[in-house]
Amino acid sequence: MIRVLHMIASLDVGGSQTMMMNIYRNIDREKIQFDFIIDQPKETYFAPEIRSLGGRVFTLPAFRGYNAGEVKRDWNNFFYTHPEYRVLHSHSRSYASLYLPVAKQHGVKTIIHSHSTNSGSGIKGAVKAVMQLPLRHQADVLMACSLEAGEWLFGERACRSERFILLPNGIDTRRFKVSPETRTQYRREFGLDDRYVIGHVGRFREVKNHTFLLDAFAEVHKREPQAILMLVGVGPLQQEMAEKAVALGIADHVVMTGNRDDVPEMLAAMDVFAFPSLWEGLPMTVVEAQAAGLPCVLSDTITKDVDVSPLVQYLPLGDPAEWADALLKRRPRQDVTKNIIRAGFDIRASAQRLSELYLRLDQEARRA
């Protein structure tokens, strides 16, 4: 058995975390085991499950803009004390250029994985952009969830090289089959009765654009006063969004569920899925929503790679009233499982491809 080390910064619920946990649950753990390095020790939602599956979680210091020496030293010490690792898969990119060369010095093969198409705004975003430039030259494998995410981080030329691998995020479509019993149970649990439910799954961060979603729902509320907005997730902007809901007069119709490990069942309780992100790499929650048969209204900033069924509609982010029109357009659920598998989003296929890659890199590292 080989152990693959994942650098993922946080183990809270997020796109890259959910993707890797889906892989972890479906990989042959008698051949390959996962361990994780994080730099956010308070964000450990998935840690208990990781340990139950046989994985380990380590914490190393985050880069704070002035402690590059500390970061390099601690990564160097880590590899000295853990020579069992021959493959490092990094899902964090902002300061990966500091520790990828350290891994290489210890004979570790490296994968850098692009899950996004934006570093954010302001000085912080500009610093990340500069620090990410060397990654295309440092890593042994360049991986991305979509071609857009790959070209954004590595450049078009690098994405034409043999080192680039396009790995669409995968889901277990079987988990998202909606039964009438489950839908009834969850709607009863949240007191939804026969109300129309607009749903969203995502962390309360700027990129997810909850502030626009609340504006759109305020328009929905004017036309359908009994409608409910269900927000699944947590994050630093949650309190601010709760306060905005109060200011808009819709707080009694906004349900914030917190983190959930039963997202398929939560999707079953919804009638339409809203996803107004400012940017994304390849948001698996949109694929999951389609797997649950939900009509999906997305911002036009999101990659067309997730448009795999007739359930998807794209809209610009300008007018909340236009979003309200789309969200209130009732459409029946559909079973689009075949579309999702055909588009390459089957988790079992993704797990097999990654397994083959890890085993190959491990052998290359042993021979070096």
Side-chain angles (χ1 to χ4, degrees):
M1 182 184 71
I2 69 170
R3 303 194 78 93
V4 175
L5 185 64
H6 291 266
M7 168 56 183
I8 204 162
S10 155
L11 287 175
D12 255 6
V13 178
S16 57
Q17 291 88 345
T18 299
M19 178 263 188
M20 285 317 303
M21 290 305 298
N22 284 338
I23 293 287
Y24 194 15
R25 296 175 188 123
N26 284 273
I27 209 163
D28 185 348
R29 294 188 296 278
E30 292 187 1
K31 294 181 179 179
I32 301 171
Q33 185 54 254
F34 286 180
D35 297 325
F36 296 82
I37 289 180
I38 61 174
D39 60 20
Q40 302 295 323
K42 294 182 179 179
E43 299 183 357
T44 57
Y45 179 83
F46 285 119
E49 182 181 359
I50 287 169
R51 295 188 178 102
S52 74
L53 295 174
R56 298 177 290 187
V57 179
F58 304 96
T59 301
L60 290 181
F63 178 57
R64 296 184 290 275
Y66 55 83
N67 62 330
E70 177 190 16
V71 169
K72 293 178 181 179
R73 183 192 68 234
D74 282 21
W75 275 85
N76 190 48
N77 290 339
F78 178 86
F79 284 119
Y80 267 123
T81 55
H82 293 280
E84 67 268 28
Y85 296 111
R86 288 178 292 273
V87 180
L88 168 65
H89 189 158
S90 181
H91 307 271
S92 297
R93 63 184 190 277
S94 58
Y95 65 96
S97 59
L98 297 180
Y99 55 77
L100 290 188
V102 177
K104 188 173 183 178
Q105 291 170 5
H106 288 266
V108 176
K109 292 291 183 176
T110 56
I111 305 166
I112 187 71
H113 198 149
S114 178
H115 293 274
S116 185
T117 57
N118 198 295
S119 290
S121 57
I123 295 176
K124 188 175 181 180
V127 170
K128 284 182 180 180
V130 171
M131 292 192 69
Q132 290 165 179
L133 284 175
L135 297 177
R136 66 193 68 181
H137 307 295
Q138 293 172 328
D140 295 294
V141 175
L142 312 177
M143 185 175 289
C145 59
S146 67
L147 184 59
E148 290 95 329
E151 292 180 346
W152 169 75
L153 185 59
F154 310 125
E156 293 183 9
R157 182 177 179 182
C159 290
R160 293 194 297 269
S161 73
E162 293 182 355
R163 291 188 302 135
F164 178 71
I165 294 177
L166 181 63
L167 185 79
N169 298 345
I171 65 169
D172 186 346
T173 55
R174 297 167 298 186
R175 289 194 65 222
F176 292 89
K177 290 284 187 182
V178 175
S179 72
E181 295 78 15
T182 298
R183 176 173 167 83
T184 299
Q185 174 191 339
Y186 272 71
R187 288 177 70 88
R188 184 181 297 126
E189 176 182 335
F190 286 92
L192 303 175
D193 301 320
D194 57 354
R195 294 186 178 189
Y196 187 68
V197 179
I198 297 167
H200 174 82
V201 179
R203 284 177 58 74
F204 284 84
R205 292 187 180 277
E206 176 192 5
V207 60
K208 299 302 181 184
N209 206 12
H210 286 87
T211 186
F212 180 85
L213 181 53
L214 288 172
D215 288 335
F217 182 71
E219 292 293 324
V220 168
H221 181 66
K222 292 176 185 177
R223 307 176 202 180
E224 186 153 338
Q226 295 304 307
I228 295 291
L229 176 63
M230 176 178 281
L231 304 176
V232 180
V234 297
L237 297 181
Q238 184 171 349
Q239 182 59 38
E240 181 180 329
M241 293 303 104
E243 292 170 359
K244 175 165 183 171
V246 172
L248 290 172
I250 57 175
D252 290 342
H253 299 267
V254 176
V255 178
M256 296 185 179
T257 72
N259 277 336
R260 304 282 302 200
D261 57 9
D262 54 355
V263 169
E265 291 77 14
M266 300 300 291
L267 291 171
M270 301 172 187
D271 295 300
V272 63
F273 190 78
F275 207 76
S277 291
L278 298 173
W279 67 82
E280 291 282 351
L282 196 153
M284 287 312 297
T285 48
V286 175
V287 180
E288 292 172 348
Q290 291 175 79
L294 278 175
C296 300
V297 182
L298 319 181
S299 59
D300 60 6
T301 61
I302 294 173
T303 176
K304 301 302 185 290
D305 288 348
V306 296
D307 183 5
V308 299
S309 78
L311 294 170
V312 173
Q313 177 182 359
Y314 288 91
L315 285 178
L317 286 170
D319 186 3
E322 184 180 10
W323 275 67
D325 291 339
L327 292 170
L328 283 169
K329 184 179 179 181
R330 286 166 167 76
R331 291 182 283 167
R333 301 180 93 100
Q334 297 182 48
D335 184 350
V336 296
T337 302
K338 291 181 179 178
N339 302 59
I340 292 169
I341 294 174
R342 194 181 306 122
F345 291 116
D346 180 62
I347 190 63
R348 286 153 290 183
S350 299
Q352 181 61 33
R353 285 189 67 196
L354 267 184
S355 295
E356 293 170 358
L357 174 63
Y358 293 148
L359 292 169
R360 175 174 66 80
L361 292 176
D362 180 78
Q363 289 299 317
E364 290 178 2
R366 287 173 184 269
R367 290 195 297 265

